[in-house]
Amino acid sequence: MKISVNKSRTLWWSVSGAIILAGIISMLLSWQQIGAPLRPSLDFIGGTRLQFERDCTLPDNCDEPVNIDAVREVVAAQELADSSIQLIEDRETGENNGVLIRSKTLDVEQRTQLETALSEKIGTFDSQKRQIDTVGPTLGRQLFNTGITSLIVAFTGIIIYLSIRFQRDYAVFAIVATFHDILMTTGIFSIFGLLFGLEVDSLFIVALLTITGFSVNDTVVIYDRIRETLKANPNRPIVEVVDDAVNQTLARSINTTLTTLLSLIAIFLFGGETLKNFALALILGFLAGAYSSIFIASTLLTWWRERRQKSNPPPDNSEQLSVNS
């Protein structure tokens, strides 16, 4: 079965535009609420993150779910009212038996006081499930600046490589497709941040760099096939060339994406809290990368070549022959 990507290219562009627009709106709303387009973790803004889970092996310790209002009262009493509070579900019972608190930087004594007060109010905590992380604001800024610099360097290198290997329009639309994937991923994470409190950390920058490489690689495979076909058949309509190139590489693109997603889904489900958001970002980005390579980069190239042919039509050989005769 063959597909004609150019026949419905308006549909593909509309789907991408709708998702990206929703993400941009979400980022603007997020900026108004928290002063950032994405909800940053401690990696970027600094502070202390405390995660406590109740010990359900103790009698009557987990009879009732954790009451977030009770947690807020305790946190406010510790003069930490501006802290971010999130309840954590127990994987076994599905009940809210834990709490995640992100606050300003706390010393050992302040952390101990907070844990003791919470334990008295909502139940005894399991010491083996306690997680406490502290990041200074200076380190947070360094991580953010380093991450942004890495993205800029990666995009610059990709632009140089594509400009040398392909014609300019190939390079431009490959970069457009890569930006499409980055915008989709960040936009969806922004939406999840507003709806579910999802945070981005330094691993999110690593995920974006990985998505960039995957997307460009997938696009280059299709563009290589288009270029080879055009060399062999320079007078063939660009629509037919692109559709054939997409169909010839479609199985490879789908198989590569699916096999990669299987590993990422396993990491998301069983890799623990630290890697869950990283795996989610890669899943979203790889899906966007496969979509953009097949339906965005190829159709944009077709549209541009058709537009250029209309503005610069080839000379009419029959008229030239009549003049010469």
Side-chain angles (χ1 to χ4, degrees), residues 316-325:
D316 192 332
N317 292 331
S318 61
E319 291 183 3
Q320 185 67 30
L321 289 173
S322 63
V323 170
N324 292 336
S325 61

Side-chain angles (χ1 to χ4, degrees), residues 28-42:
L28 292 174
L29 292 174
S30 179
W31 191 284
Q32 291 180 343
Q33 293 182 15
I34 62 176
L38 301 171
R39 187 176 293 274
S41 70
L42 295 185

Side-chain angles (χ1 to χ4, degrees), residues 112-153:
T112 303
Q113 290 177 354
L114 178 58
E115 182 179 358
T116 301
L118 286 171
S119 180
E120 292 174 352
K121 189 72 173 181
I122 63 177
T124 304
F125 295 121
D126 188 339
S127 59
Q128 295 183 350
K129 296 182 178 180
R130 180 193 300 116
Q131 296 182 23
I132 300 176
D133 303 309
T134 298
V135 177
T138 301
L139 178 59
R141 286 194 296 270
Q142 290 177 349
L143 287 172
F144 177 78
N145 292 335
T146 301
I148 296 300
T149 302
S150 299
L151 280 174
I152 294 174
V153 170

Side-chain angles (χ1 to χ4, degrees), residues 1-166:
M1 178 181 177
K2 293 186 177 182
I3 62 171
S4 176
V5 292
N6 285 289
K7 187 176 181 180
S8 303
R9 63 190 182 195
T10 303
L11 174 62
W12 315 134
W13 297 348
S14 299
V15 170
S16 293
I19 296 174
I20 291 174
L21 179 61
I24 292 174
I25 292 173
S26 175
M27 285 188 277
L28 292 174
L29 292 174
S30 179
W31 191 284
Q32 291 180 343
Q33 293 182 15
I34 62 176
L38 301 171
R39 187 176 293 274
S41 70
L42 295 185
D43 287 3
F44 296 131
I45 62 175
T48 299
R49 177 173 52 202
L50 308 99
Q51 181 173 318
F52 304 121
E53 294 187 43
R54 295 188 299 191
D55 187 352
C56 293
T57 61
L58 299 177
D60 304 326
N61 198 47
C62 299
D63 289 347
E64 298 290 336
V66 173
N67 188 332
I68 194 169
D69 292 328
V71 176
R72 288 196 180 102
E73 290 178 5
V74 174
V75 172
Q78 299 291 320
E79 299 181 353
L80 300 171
D82 57 345
S83 300
S84 172
I85 302 171
Q86 182 179 346
L87 297 182
I88 300 175
E89 286 188 357
D90 191 317
R91 291 185 178 180
E92 297 178 358
T93 64
E95 300 289 342
N96 292 325
N97 286 322
V99 60
L100 176 66
I101 302 172
R102 189 180 70 181
S103 71
K104 64 182 181 181
T105 303
L106 305 177
D107 57 31
V108 177
E109 182 179 355
Q110 290 173 314
R111 297 198 300 261
T112 303
Q113 290 177 354
L114 178 58
E115 182 179 358
T116 301
L118 286 171
S119 180
E120 292 174 352
K121 189 72 173 181
I122 63 177
T124 304
F125 295 121
D126 188 339
S127 59
Q128 295 183 350
K129 296 182 178 180
R130 180 193 300 116
Q131 296 182 23
I132 300 176
D133 303 309
T134 298
V135 177
T138 301
L139 178 59
R141 286 194 296 270
Q142 290 177 349
L143 287 172
F144 177 78
N145 292 335
T146 301
I148 296 300
T149 302
S150 299
L151 280 174
I152 294 174
V153 170
F155 269 105
T156 302
I158 290 170
I159 291 172
I160 294 173
Y161 166 75
L162 291 176
S163 299
I164 294 173
R165 181 168 181 180
F166 295 99

Side-chain angles (χ1 to χ4, degrees), residues 252-299:
R252 180 258 182 207
S253 297
I254 293 176
N255 290 336
T256 301
T257 304
L258 286 179
T259 52
T260 306
L261 287 178
L262 289 175
S263 301
L264 293 175
I265 291 172
I267 294 174
F268 178 78
L269 295 176
F270 309 111
E273 293 296 326
T274 304
L275 295 176
K276 180 170 288 189
N277 291 351
F278 172 68
L280 177 60
L282 288 179
I283 290 171
L284 295 173
F286 282 17
L287 286 173
Y291 178 85
S292 68
S293 297
I294 297 171
F295 298 106
I296 303 300
S298 60
T299 55

